[in-house]
Amino acid sequence: MDAEKFVAESREMIISNLHGKGILACSGGQDSTLLSMIAAPIKNIEIVFVDTGLLRLNEVERVKSLFEKFRIPYKLIDAKKIFLENLKGVTDPETKRKIIGKTFIDVFHQEAVSYGATYLLQGTIAPDWIESGGQSRDTIKSHHNVGGLPENLGFKLIEPLRDLYKDEVREISRYFGLPEVMPFPGPGLAIRIIGEVTEYRLDILKRATDILETSINEKYAGEKPWQYFCVLLSVKSTGVHGDQRTYGETVAIRMIDTLDGMTGTFSRPDWELLSDISVRITDEIPEINRVVYDITDKPPATIEWE
Ligand code: XMP
């Protein structure tokens, strides 16, 4: 892939399609940050970063410093309250995705009114629309930046990365010197919480995820897995703490080796590392008394649990 040529062609594509102003939805992930780098020199585009409250611990700070380092101008919108309100009582995964997609659009609409935008630029890549039933396959999941969108979007969409796969996104990101970041889904931690998303459950998952990420970054021997994260399950189980019986939460650890996220195998980490992570999670988060490891490839399982 000729990165320089791709960037030049994408800029031309944006300029020839943008007949007015546009908002660019950037999550701080690899795809939308790459799109922001491509679009940053183009006039009449406002880059918007939405804090959904469904991000990981310290993620807002990480994205802020990334944007500052690469001189990407952006606007931060705090939408934590509205996302949580809209997700109240929702347990079905597809409904969650659709609600999150619609909430994003509502937030963008509000911003569009003040900026005067009629276009939406998104970092949608090939697996997003393929897995959302964009071809003749059954819908596996509605990715928030495709299937989760309401039918009447109210924006004209510009998606310059539509034909890229994850490995190509990484290649072009390297051209800009952008750091490699682990993929993180648009709907965020909401699709890693089985059942209802509440502030309490988000807090538990954020802390467990942070322990997992820190431990892997510090101690993983060899090349790290492509993606690793925690999932908060909806089963509680019996445990013992001191001489007290407990009835606590269960967290699953998922680690995946893959080239592009389309198929993959579960990683085979060192038992000692898994043991350290489990001990830290249960020691530091008393609400959790059981940690399990997911040993399923994709297929038959998807990478995310919802
Ligand atoms: P799955 O779970 O479909 O995940 O095997 C494949 C890759 O896509 C990410 N993913 C998403 N990304 N919106 C996104 O932007 C979504 O709704 C979504 N669902 C999954 C997932 O993290 C993995 O990297």
Side-chain angles (χ1 to χ4, degrees):
M1 157 129 323
D2 182 340
E4 195 173 339
K5 187 163 165 242
F6 180 84
V7 171
E9 284 174 1
S10 301
R11 286 190 175 137
E12 275 168 32
M13 181 272 200
I14 296 171
I15 292 166
S16 60
N17 283 288
L18 184 68
H19 308 292
K21 287 184 171 181
I23 284 183
L24 189 158
C26 187
S27 64
Q30 199 88 53
D31 311 341
S32 57
T33 304
L34 172 62
L35 180 60
S36 301
M37 285 297 285
I38 292 174
I42 301 173
K43 278 189 293 199
N44 293 324
I45 294 175
E46 181 181 60
I47 297 167
V48 168
F49 169 48
V50 180
D51 180 1
T52 57
L54 308 171
L55 301 171
R56 288 164 293 185
L57 216 59
N58 305 324
E59 183 126 43
V60 174
E61 284 65 35
R62 179 190 66 78
V63 175
K64 277 183 178 170
S65 50
L66 179 76
F67 286 169
E68 272 148 34
K69 180 169 177 209
F70 286 90
R71 296 174 198 282
I72 302 172
Y74 71 99
K75 177 166 180 177
L76 172 68
I77 299 179
D78 181 352
K80 294 198 281 288
K81 238 174 134 178
I82 180 80
F83 273 90
L84 209 57
E85 249 169 54
N86 291 355
L87 285 168
K88 206 169 177 178
V90 180
T91 55
D92 175 68
E94 281 300 287
T95 314
K96 269 186 199 170
R97 271 201 167 68
K98 296 236 154 82
I99 287 174
I100 292 168
K102 180 167 185 321
T103 310
F104 266 113
I105 293 299
D106 289 348
V107 171
F108 294 145
H109 270 300
Q110 256 185 14
E111 187 52 32
V113 171
S114 64
Y115 183 64
T118 48
Y119 288 81
L120 181 66
L121 287 89
Q122 286 209 125
T124 312
I125 64 168
D128 298 335
W129 56 267
I130 292 172
E131 297 205 347
S132 291
Q135 287 180 337
S136 57
R137 298 170 48 170
D138 288 344
T139 299
I140 298 175
K141 291 173 191 175
S142 308
H143 280 211
H144 90 99
N145 40 357
V146 186
L149 293 182
E151 269 183 22
N152 186 7
L153 198 58
F155 281 114
K156 283 164 241 161
L157 269 185
I158 300 181
E159 298 179 317
L161 312 184
R162 263 188 84 77
D163 294 328
L164 297 186
Y165 284 82
K166 282 272 179 201
D167 50 324
E168 295 171 312
V169 171
R170 286 192 177 182
E171 207 178 318
I172 303 163
S173 298
R174 277 198 289 273
Y175 164 81
F176 282 112
L178 287 169
E180 272 198 16
V181 292
M182 186 176 29
F184 185 69
L189 298 179
I191 57 166
R192 295 178 180 170
I193 290 179
I194 311 301
E196 190 181 2
V197 180
T198 61
E199 221 160 337
Y200 166 81
R201 307 191 78 207
L202 270 170
D203 175 61
I204 293 177
L205 184 59
K206 280 181 193 181
R207 288 189 283 150
T209 304
D210 191 56
I211 292 172
L212 175 75
E213 288 191 0
T214 321
S215 305
I216 289 183
N217 287 333
E218 285 170 3
K219 297 191 189 147
Y220 202 87
E223 198 178 329
K224 282 185 276 181
W226 190 80
Q227 203 174 17
Y228 40 94
F229 54 87
C230 291
V231 182
L232 181 64
L233 306 192
S234 55
V235 266
K236 286 188 158 193
S237 72
T238 303
V240 55
H241 200 83
D243 50 10
Q244 291 267 310
R245 281 176 88 79
T246 58
Y247 194 58
E249 308 285 349
T250 312
V251 154
I253 294 176
R254 182 86 164 127
M255 295 188 194
I256 279 284
D257 297 324
T258 165
L259 184 63
D260 56 11
M262 299 294 283
T263 60
T265 51
F266 71 88
S267 313
R268 273 76 166 164
D270 186 67
W271 281 111
E272 286 308 311
L273 175 65
L274 277 182
S275 165
D276 282 358
I277 294 168
S278 164
V279 168
R280 269 198 70 191
I281 290 178
T282 48
D283 274 358
E284 294 175 33
I285 312 170
E287 295 90 335
I288 298 173
N289 68 357
R290 195 171 297 268
V291 180
V292 298
Y293 188 64
D294 183 346
I295 53 167
T296 331
D297 295 336
K298 172 181 179 175
T302 51
I303 296 176
E304 303 290 345
W305 276 43
E306 286 202 334

